């Protein structure tokens, strides 16, 4: 299958993002950092500086938005290797796209944020995911290969280990499906497998688009 053949991708030179992609990346970065700062302020106001910051850094949504904002910032300033490169853009797009999809499909109906919390919620779950995916779509393509699929799984895999480790320290888990107190070992493993599987599906889809646009 063409998806699993990456020889052509390996020989293509690194392309610079267009002005449109860099402009949109600047918008993504601005919205992303603003939404993160607002959410951090709201959590600190509720829990205090130390506990608020600790909880802020416990959410996959927050960490993914930080990653997306970093990548978007790198693209905006013209850094197209490493943090602004095709692989980093894929990793960020896969995770932030998953955040937007899961929230819209399964979590949006579970609460009704108001005021500034609603603004932060819209920035983190709607605006940043949507705009980042658009930015990814108009950025340079054709340099991804089959090995990049594995890299896309790194953020959720690291988060699963991180969430379980930090939860074991203080007993607080950002998501109920990672809480050993309420989930059996098989349920925990199923949650991790589901997270990685969903990420893998999104990554395959994005890599396929990259290869198609590259041709």
């Amino acid at each position: 299958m063409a998806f699993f053949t990456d020889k052509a991708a390996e020989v293509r030179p690194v392309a610079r993002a267009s002005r449109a992609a860099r402009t949109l990346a600047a918008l993504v970065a601005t919205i992303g950092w603003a939404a993160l700062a607002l959410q951090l302020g709201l959590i600190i106001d509720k829990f205090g500086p130390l506990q608020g910051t600790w909880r802020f850094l416990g959410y996959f949504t927050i960490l993914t938005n930080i990653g997306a904002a970093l990548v978007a910032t790198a693209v905006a300033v013209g850094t197209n290797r490493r943090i602004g490169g095709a692989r980093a853009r894929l990793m960020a797009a896969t995770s932030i796209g998953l955040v937007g999809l899961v929230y819209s499909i399964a979590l949006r109906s579970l609460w009704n944020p108001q005021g500034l919390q609603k603004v932060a919620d819209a920035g983190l779950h709607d605006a940043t995911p949507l705009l980042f995916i658009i930015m990814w779509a108009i950025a340079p393509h054709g340099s991804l290969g089959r090995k990049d699929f594995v890299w896309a799984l790194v953020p959720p895999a690291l988060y699963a280990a991180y969430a379980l480790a930090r939860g074991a320290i203080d007993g607080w888990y950002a998501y109920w499906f990672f809480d050993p107190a309420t989930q059996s070992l098989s349920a925990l493993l199923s949650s991790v497998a589901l997270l990685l599987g969903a990420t893998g599906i999104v990554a395959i889809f994005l890599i396929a688009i990259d290869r198609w646009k590259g041709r």
Side-chain angles (χ1 to χ4, degrees):
M1 295 178 62
F3 173 79
F4 294 103
T5 304
D6 60 357
K7 291 183 178 179
E10 293 174 353
V11 300
R12 287 193 179 95
V14 176
R16 291 186 61 82
S18 65
R19 175 176 295 183
R22 292 177 63 181
T23 300
L24 186 54
L27 178 61
V28 174
T30 301
I31 292 175
W33 290 122
L36 286 165
L38 176 57
Q39 185 62 73
L40 177 60
L42 292 171
I43 292 182
I44 287 178
D45 184 60
K46 183 176 181 180
F47 294 103
L50 293 179
Q51 186 180 7
T53 302
W54 177 249
R55 291 210 172 194
F56 177 77
L57 296 174
Y59 291 94
F60 182 69
T61 294
I62 296 298
L63 297 176
T64 298
N65 270 271
I66 291 174
L70 285 171
V71 173
T73 300
V75 173
V77 300
T79 304
N80 288 308
R81 293 183 182 275
R82 295 183 180 179
I83 195 171
R87 181 178 290 166
R89 294 197 304 270
L90 171 69
M91 294 168 67
T94 301
S95 292
I96 199 67
L98 187 64
V99 164
L101 285 173
V102 172
Y103 184 79
S104 295
I105 294 173
L107 302 178
R108 190 184 301 276
S109 62
L110 299 182
W111 77 320
N112 184 30
Q114 300 295 322
L116 291 177
Q117 183 58 67
K118 187 170 185 177
V119 174
D121 184 76
L124 297 172
H125 295 105
D126 297 313
T128 299
L130 177 61
L131 292 175
F132 192 95
I133 292 299
I134 296 175
M135 182 207 77
W136 179 87
I138 65 175
H141 288 283
S143 61
L144 295 176
R146 63 178 183 269
K147 59 187 177 182
D148 296 301
F149 167 80
V150 177
W151 281 98
L153 300 180
V154 170
L158 288 178
Y159 176 77
Y162 165 72
L164 292 172
R166 59 173 282 149
I169 295 174
D170 67 355
W172 180 79
Y173 296 85
Y175 305 102
W176 61 268
F177 46 82
F178 279 149
D179 188 352
T182 60
Q183 302 296 303
S184 65
L185 178 60
S186 61
L188 282 173
L189 293 177
S190 295
S191 296
V192 174
L194 181 61
L195 177 62
L196 294 178
T199 303
I201 291 173
V202 175
I204 289 174
F205 179 69
L206 293 181
I207 293 175
I209 291 177
D210 175 84
R211 303 303 296 274
W212 173 69
K213 288 178 69 68
R215 289 196 297 269

